[in-house]
Amino acid sequence: MNPKGTNPVKDKKKTAKDYASYFQTTYQPPSLKDAKKRGKEEIKIVKDFVIEEELRTIGKGKKFYIRTYGCQMNEHDTEIMAGILGDMGYDPTTDMMEADLILLNTCAIRENAENKVFGELGHLKPLKVDKPDLLIGVCGCMSQEESVVNKLLKTYQQVDMIFGTHNIHRLPQIVKEAYLSKERVVEVWSKEGDIVENLPRVRKGNIQGWVNIMYGCDKFCTYCIVPYTRGKERSRRPEDIIEEVRHLARNGYQEVTLLGQNVNAYGKDFEDMTYGLGDLMDEIRKIDIPRIRFTTSHPRDFDDHLIEVLAKGGNLVEHIHLPVQHGNSEILKLMARKYTREHYLELVGKIKKAIPNAALTTDIIVGFPNETEEQFEETLSLVKEVEYDAAYTFIYSPREGTPAAKMADNVPMEVKKERLQRLNSVLNDISLRKNQAYLDTVVEVLVEGESKKKPDVLSGHTASNKVVNFKGPKHLIGKIVKVHINDAKTWTLSGDLIEEKAGVLEG
Ligand code: 5AD
Ligand code: SF4
């Protein structure tokens, strides 16, 4: 069993190097130092992904369960892993208790995201007692962190496999290794890998689809772990993206969301052409699919050409998620956002002028190191000035290895919480007011399913990303319908379906 003497997992004094020699064949740990490097090497595009014959039946008669934490990028990676496992003979299950293979696709963005995963792993431990052959894997952003991998190896014996964001296409080999060697398999590439084009995927639903347009992030905002966990910016070729969107359109999908950590940097890594997000959107809007979204934008690279293309409307939705993070220029500088409050407001002005009905949403962090009351109030005043439709708000959480983690985390937790509350209250007032403007209007809603709370109510989104609830027959799921809005709350709108009969609207 043990190729190199004592088992370092049981020895608290052992370091990553000791693990490396112990897990001779299967141990490839992450390194934040390597993940920081941005080399000039060309990214290879691999189009011949295949699962070897012998691995195509490894999961026959077995079931898998994947729990996803974090962003849409992770949700989409889960779809790919589900596709790979399906091609290995596994069936999906929604009941974790009956799974033979459990994967936790993790998020590292804030400490509480990580704590949820450690908590879940604790719950999984007893399952191993009843089912010794159960395989448990940890993947996603947390696996890219050295400290997490060491902690998992030392204290979470129930974990059989740890693999990272750059090598999910290696899942068949990793699972095989875990079954055959019965050793814990650690394979995390710190340097970003190739772009693998033809991975299988099982999409969640057939109404909305995610399409990656680029991977990684080179922005290195000082608080953020993503550039380390997701590697350098790598754009997919436009023809591959367009083909994937066309494929979804042909299969009846109603909405596509183009994904990337920093989509406005799309194409900057192409050496053979000058081609950006504006050019890509201008091509994609010609595809016959009702709605095209994109996320996430960085204000710094949001150029005039993109605004010009978005203003063409059509299937390019009038919703822009434009994270501001803070309203004070000094804090923005400490965050290395590379824009000022004035520059951000100027950009918002340009967007509003070109797309007057644009719904703007954002991300905001409170309690960043050194944030004073006056500086925080500048966030409040910016929020009032922009009038966001909605926002994701966060308390700053130091991430080991990032530049901000070296600054003193000097805003007391009570102050952080109090600022978050004040911010949310200002945002909620604006959201409610903005939603009330929809009263007595007719909106187009993409019906996504039954409302979570009331099964006789259908739920969907407007192009501007407002949630709308209304009563209607289930066969409307997947269709775009008209709804007359008669109630507006902070988070949701509700109204009455307008039945369409032979082209005539009936209220
Ligand atoms: N602490 C708090 N919030 C963070 N975000 C990213 N890193 C941190 C951190 N260390 C937030 C940012 C980002 C969103 C996805 O998460 O607002 O836009
Ligand atoms: Fe993180 Fe900044 Fe990159 Fe967004 S742009 S993923 S906040 S480093």
Side-chain angles (χ1 to χ4, degrees):
M1 279 284 279
N2 181 349
K4 287 255 172 159
T6 53
N7 179 350
V9 171
K10 300 216 166 84
D11 184 339
K12 290 200 168 58
K13 279 186 237 127
K14 295 289 177 193
T15 63
K17 218 161 124 212
D18 300 305
Y19 295 124
S21 62
Y22 174 72
F23 292 98
Q24 213 174 21
T25 55
T26 54
Y27 188 80
Q28 206 172 349
S31 147
L32 275 189
K33 218 162 113 208
D34 287 346
K36 205 157 132 188
K37 291 182 189 150
R38 290 296 184 264
K40 277 266 168 237
E41 314 83 52
E42 216 179 291
I43 296 291
K44 263 207 324 245
I45 298 178
V46 180
K47 294 205 171 185
D48 53 1
F49 171 83
V50 276
I51 298 177
E52 295 153 42
E53 200 55 44
E54 55 155 351
L55 300 178
R56 294 193 150 259
T57 48
I58 200 168
K60 223 168 162 217
K62 297 195 179 91
K63 294 191 172 149
F64 75 87
Y65 177 94
I66 309 178
R67 174 152 294 176
T68 315
Y69 301 82
C71 65
Q72 290 156 321
M73 194 70 84
N74 260 16
E75 295 275 356
H76 189 42
D77 282 351
T78 289
E79 293 183 336
I80 293 170
M81 291 191 286
I84 296 176
L85 291 171
D87 284 1
M88 293 167 69
Y90 283 94
D91 286 318
T93 174
T94 51
D95 178 4
M96 200 185 234
M97 306 303 277
E98 62 166 32
D100 303 282
L101 171 64
I102 297 174
L103 294 179
L104 302 188
N105 189 6
T106 62
C107 170
I109 202 98
R110 282 169 291 277
E111 196 184 356
N112 57 4
E114 297 201 345
N115 288 342
K116 278 189 212 158
V117 172
F118 288 121
E120 184 64 33
L121 284 172
H123 298 142
L124 293 181
K125 199 172 180 181
L127 291 188
K128 279 267 197 182
V129 179
D130 300 336
K131 226 182 197 181
D133 282 341
L134 170 68
L135 281 188
I136 297 178
V138 175
C139 55
C141 286
M142 278 171 72
S143 311
Q144 296 290 141
E145 296 177 276
E146 272 158 272
S147 56
V148 168
V149 171
N150 287 340
K151 182 167 169 180
L152 289 173
L153 289 172
K154 276 186 188 164
T155 32
Y156 293 83
Q157 311 276 330
Q158 60 273 45
V159 177
D160 304 284
M161 303 175 285
I162 303 171
F163 58 99
T165 57
H166 302 310
N167 51 329
I168 58 177
H169 61 285
R170 294 259 314 146
L171 186 56
Q173 289 76 17
I174 292 166
V175 168
K176 176 184 159 189
E177 189 85 39
Y179 275 131
L180 293 187
S181 72
K182 291 276 175 198
E183 296 284 358
R184 309 169 86 189
V185 182
V186 181
E187 188 187 287
V188 185
W189 300 351
S190 291
K191 218 190 101 0
E192 58 288 333
D194 303 325
I195 294 182
V196 187
E197 269 308 329
N198 60 337
L199 292 171
R201 61 204 65 200
V202 175
R203 294 188 189 268
K204 209 165 114 195
N206 52 7
I207 303 169
Q208 300 159 302
W210 286 303
V211 173
N212 279 126
I213 64 167
M214 62 181 302
Y215 304 95
C217 180
D218 288 350
K219 279 284 181 269
F220 288 101
C221 301
T222 53
Y223 51 82
C224 186
I225 194 79
V226 169
Y228 309 84
T229 62
R230 291 277 172 176
K232 85 170 178 191
E233 287 170 357
R234 292 146 286 150
S235 305
R236 284 179 76 197
R237 300 297 297 185
E239 57 275 19
D240 292 326
I241 298 168
I242 289 165
E243 183 40 42
E244 190 175 340
V245 177
R246 284 209 180 109
H247 174 80
L248 292 172
R250 280 194 298 272
N251 285 283
Y253 280 77
Q254 300 293 303
E255 182 176 295
V256 156
T257 303
L258 307 177
L259 288 182
Q261 309 293 348
N262 171 19
V263 286
N264 299 79
Y266 176 76
K268 289 195 191 300
D269 54 322
F270 291 149
E271 287 190 348
D272 57 337
M273 58 176 172
T274 311
Y275 191 94
L277 184 63
D279 302 299
L280 181 71
M281 297 296 278
D282 209 14
E283 284 293 316
I284 290 185
R285 74 187 179 83
K286 295 172 194 149
I287 300 175
D288 187 14
I289 191 157
R291 288 182 181 177
I292 316 265
R293 301 186 180 279
F294 64 100
T295 196
T296 288
S297 283
H298 190 295
R300 166 92 183 185
D301 299 320
F302 209 110
D303 60 32
D304 291 350
H305 180 46
L306 177 62
I307 299 178
E308 208 178 288
V309 172
L310 294 178
K312 294 181 184 177
N315 56 4
L316 304 181
V317 299
E318 63 270 23
H319 168 220
I320 298 171
H321 185 64
L322 195 62
V324 64
Q325 312 298 359
H326 209 278
N328 169 268
S329 296
E330 276 162 54
I331 296 284
L332 287 170
K333 195 161 182 203
L334 285 180
M335 289 176 160
R337 291 291 288 178
K338 303 188 180 81
Y339 55 82
T340 58
R341 172 190 175 96
E342 290 69 32
H343 171 244
Y344 183 89
L345 287 172
E346 197 185 309
L347 175 62
V348 167
K350 271 197 225 170
I351 293 174
K352 285 188 173 174
K353 191 161 170 234
I355 314 163
N357 54 346
L360 288 174
T361 56
T362 199
D363 292 347
I364 299 173
I365 297 176
V366 300
F368 190 78
N370 301 324
E371 183 193 62
T372 63
E373 171 61 25
E374 289 72 31
Q375 288 170 329
F376 167 68
E377 282 171 15
E378 285 200 56
T379 293
L380 293 182
S381 70
L382 180 130
V383 160
K384 288 180 192 156
E385 191 165 340
V386 176
E387 297 206 292
Y388 292 106
D389 286 74
Y392 296 102
T393 55
F394 310 102
I395 285 180
Y396 167 68
S397 163
R399 307 314 295 133
E400 196 186 318
T402 61
K406 295 193 188 84
M407 305 174 193
D409 184 12
N410 52 8
V411 180
M413 187 46 95
E414 314 82 76
V415 177
K416 286 179 176 169
K417 284 187 177 160
E418 187 258 347
R419 286 182 187 166
L420 185 73
Q421 231 173 31
R422 277 160 66 202
L423 173 61
N424 285 341
S425 139
V426 170
L427 282 161
N428 292 350
D429 286 349
I430 300 172
S431 297
L432 179 61
R433 194 153 31 82
K434 292 226 140 189
N435 279 354
Q436 283 167 342
Y438 281 80
L439 281 172
D440 215 18
T441 66
V442 173
V443 293
E444 291 197 340
V445 180
L446 171 57
V447 189
E448 288 144 34
E450 293 167 13
S451 136
K452 277 184 200 121
K453 287 179 204 140
K454 295 185 200 147
D456 61 327
V457 171
L458 297 177
S459 183
H461 284 85
T462 62
S464 57
N465 216 31
K466 302 280 176 194
V467 177
V468 179
N469 295 320
F470 62 96
K471 280 198 175 155
K474 291 197 190 359
H475 69 80
L476 293 181
I477 294 173
K479 300 214 163 54
I480 294 179
V481 300
K482 291 195 164 68
V483 175
H484 177 258
I485 301 301
N486 54 28
D487 190 25
K489 300 222 157 52
T490 307
W491 314 114
T492 54
L493 300 172
S494 39
D496 296 321
L497 175 69
I498 298 183
E499 312 259 1
E500 255 177 86
K501 279 187 196 150
V504 181
L505 297 182
E506 289 184 9

